[in-house]
Amino acid sequence: MKDSIDPLEKKIIGIAFLVMAVQVSLIAFAAYKLGLSVPTCVTNVKPFDSGSFTKIGDHRYEIHVLAKMWGFEPNKIDLPPGSIADIYITSKDVTHGFHINGTNVNLMAVPGVVNYAQVTFNHPGTYPFVCHEYCGAGHQAMNGMVLVSDHPETENPESVSSAVATAVATSVATVSPGSKLVQDKGCIACHTSDGKPSVGPTFKGIWGRSETFTNGTTLVVDAAYIKESILDPPKKVVKGFNPIMPKLPVSDTEIDQIIDYLKTLK
Ligand code: CUA
């Protein structure tokens, strides 16, 4: 009975311990050497109903992100390099996702629950974030960005945002304003421009097309109808589709630009 353990079993036990040791050291390596943190659910923090951005110390920021159909609040976050951000996230309506590109922040935004992650932004740059949980018609339009730049902290963050806005506007100068609008407002999440069927009627050939509605009426698509559809989507719903289009904040000028763009989609 001196050695009752089978040598093979001994070997397997040895391998099992080795695997565990490797796993534990990898976790320790990730936590201490790479500075990665595991997302946490903070049960003692009350859900909040608006987004906020607070400086809580030298290079320390607390950010409350509110996810909702279909956007994030705030959707533009300005930070100087070397910032440590405590990110708290919750949702106002359905379950959303929150992933910041180029970081390990990958959280779920769940109504009634606050999730937490801490992230350090060492390198200047743009870190886009997106919703990665399908949450309805405007899902693809749910995004924003963290902007890490060297601007002095006394500088008005607005001026930085507008600099970015200008840069973005310049890069899409060749694209028509209407085409940019249907992207920015999330229209393309439900309306294709190539004739393919989707959640809503395709934009291709919409101008001058004869549409039949769920209430049995028919009309030829013109500027008045497009405007009405944007301002009051459920009023006339094209037959075969559901009345799920959300009302979006769009100005009269923007509506005209969208109409001009739709006319080109023959
Ligand atoms: Cu929110 Cu997808």
Side-chain angles (χ1 to χ4, degrees), residues 67-72 93-97 109 130-136 138-142:
K68 57 188 178 180
M69 288 163 139
W70 284 288
F72 293 104
D93 34 54
V94 299
T95 300
H96 299 276
V130 295
C131 173
H132 57 66
E133 178 72 17
Y134 183 74
C135 55
H139 163 70
Q140 284 163 71
M142 270 189 86

Side-chain angles (χ1 to χ4, degrees), residues 207-225:
W207 186 255
R209 181 163 73 206
S210 175
E211 295 279 34
T212 303
F213 304 100
T214 47
N215 64 6
T217 60
T218 299
L219 66 70
V220 171
V221 174
D222 57 6
Y225 166 69

Side-chain angles (χ1 to χ4, degrees), residues 76-211:
K76 205 172 271 169
I77 299 166
D78 285 295
L79 295 170
S83 297
I84 301 172
D86 289 308
I87 297 175
Y88 296 84
I89 187 163
T90 192
S91 166
K92 202 175 182 175
D93 34 54
V94 299
T95 300
H96 299 276
F98 182 72
H99 171 64
I100 308 180
N101 248 355
T103 73
N104 70 319
V105 176
N106 190 344
L107 298 169
M108 298 309 294
V110 182
V113 173
V114 178
N115 285 323
Y116 168 80
Q118 188 181 74
V119 58
T120 307
F121 290 96
N122 283 321
H123 308 290
T126 306
Y127 301 81
F129 52 82
V130 295
C131 173
H132 57 66
E133 178 72 17
Y134 183 74
C135 55
H139 163 70
Q140 284 163 71
M142 270 189 86
N143 55 50
M145 61 167 99
V146 178
L147 204 77
V148 180
S149 64
D150 260 319
H151 66 87
E153 288 193 35
T154 46
E155 199 182 320
N156 176 6
E158 278 302 308
S159 62
V160 176
S161 311
S162 65
V164 173
T166 316
V168 171
T170 315
S171 70
V172 293
T174 46
V175 179
S176 79
S179 149
K180 189 176 177 305
L181 277 168
V182 299
Q183 281 188 37
D184 292 352
K185 301 282 176 186
C187 313
I188 54 167
C190 300
H191 301 277
T192 67
S193 52
D194 60 3
K196 286 207 187 87
S198 185
V199 181
T202 181
F203 282 155
K204 188 182 175 159
I206 189 171
W207 186 255
R209 181 163 73 206
S210 175
E211 295 279 34

